[in-house]
Amino acid sequence: VCFVLKKGTKTNQPFLEIVLQTSLLSSSGNHGRVATVLVSQMRNNATSPNIKVDFNQSTGVAVLSMQSPPVNSLSLDLLTELCINLEKLEMDRACRGLIITSNQPKVFSAGLDILEMYGKSPERCGEFWRAVQEMWLKMYGSNMVTIAAINGSSPAGGCLLSLTCDYRIMVDNPRYSIGLNETLLGIVAPFWFKETMANTVGHRNTEMALELGLLYSPSEALKIGLVDQLVPQDQLLTTATETMKKWLAIPDHARQITKSMMRKPTLDKLTSNREADIQNFVSFITKDSIQKSLRMYLEMLKKRKA
Ligand code: CO8
């Protein structure tokens, strides 16, 4: 079934679900979780617990909203749902564009769920990291036109998620920030985070940003090209929709081949090193000193709130 069905193949819902189940089970080994999410998706075609998808058949554009309170932190559950929905859209011939945004106030995504990396077994950490890789591979390698409509803060993994898109539009509110701030947590952004950033803002900006764990205001982010456009909150989705029209006016095959030419070298590096990258992550994140740094960061977040 996997070989027969591709994006562009006419298919029906049950068939599509079989493909998704096959591919996700083989990559995550997470049988119970995937099965649960699939069952809930079959009940409600457009919404899973932490993700809402509005697909407009006439424009060919889907709006995917993350709705995982309080801050859309990328937990294993959210990542799994994200991957399932992305795969579903990718395989739907009618879907040519994807706008990704947040239904949470003030936050696009707080990045990877720190609780998934703190006090967890090596096996669980490995499972989590595979899901992070899967999300990145699907987003960065997507054939769809992808636009991030960033309506709140977007640190670390949240920034990475928006960097995987073809175009980024951010709400112009100085209280929001975006950047790869991993070093502030005492952890190190892996090579594919770094390359996604460098492919967008260049080597020098990335070097400074990553070493210092910089979080940029929207206007600073615009200045270095980390985002492409700033808009007031109430114009975010209309601007994203208008921008999408421009991108969709380009013939799909020419745009897709060009995108692949730009991104393939980076994608290939992770694809051919996935297992080693998981091993690196697990041995790094489970070190006592790194666990201590994460605990201190979590405590800092709590104190800041109080
Ligand atoms: N993971 C888990 N919980 C989180 C996270 C997170 N990333 N971010 C916030 N929370 C929790 C808070 O602790 C708080 O919990 P509680 O209600 O129990 O006290 C709750 O979410 C709400 O948070 P805030 O009160 O801080 O919400 P605000 O609206 O005031 O602020 C922010 C929102 C700006 C997003 C703020 O929460 C924040 O700065 N969060 C931290 C973001 C961050 O630093 N993320 C980095 C994650 S690491 C990552 O993505 C890449 C890791 C790569 C690993 C590589 C290793 C090799």
Side-chain angles (χ1 to χ4, degrees), residues 15 27 47 57 59 94 99 131-132 149 165 227 230 242 247 265 269 283 294 306:
F15 249 53
S27 65
T47 307
Q57 288 277 354
T59 59
I99 296 170
V132 180
C165 293
V227 298
L230 302 182
E242 284 309 306
W247 283 72
K269 262 194 222 170
S283 63
L294 290 178

Side-chain angles (χ1 to χ4, degrees), residues 208-260:
M208 294 243 288
L210 263 62
E211 284 193 37
L212 296 171
L214 294 178
L215 286 168
Y216 297 87
S217 69
S219 57
E220 292 166 339
L222 181 68
K223 213 164 155 188
I224 65 159
L226 185 54
V227 298
D228 299 297
Q229 195 174 346
L230 302 182
V231 291
Q233 173 89 43
D234 60 358
Q235 288 170 28
L236 183 65
L237 279 184
T238 47
T239 309
T241 306
E242 284 309 306
T243 307
M244 182 62 83
K245 280 186 198 158
K246 275 191 229 159
W247 283 72
L248 290 181
I250 308 298
D252 279 343
H253 69 283
R255 181 191 51 73
Q256 286 164 357
I257 292 168
T258 307
K259 180 171 178 175
S260 167

Side-chain angles (χ1 to χ4, degrees), residues 70-71 110 112-114 155-157 181-182 188 284 297 302 304-305:
V71 290
L112 303 191
D113 191 325
I114 299 166
N181 62 325
E182 279 78 358
V188 180
F284 178 79
Y297 192 77
K302 293 247 179 275
R304 200 178 61 176
K305 197 174 176 184

Side-chain angles (χ1 to χ4, degrees), residues 117 181-189 210 284-285 290 293-294:
M117 301 183 279
N181 62 325
E182 279 78 358
T183 51
L184 299 184
L185 287 76
I187 56 180
V188 180
L210 263 62
F284 178 79
I285 212 72
I290 302 302
S293 296
L294 290 178

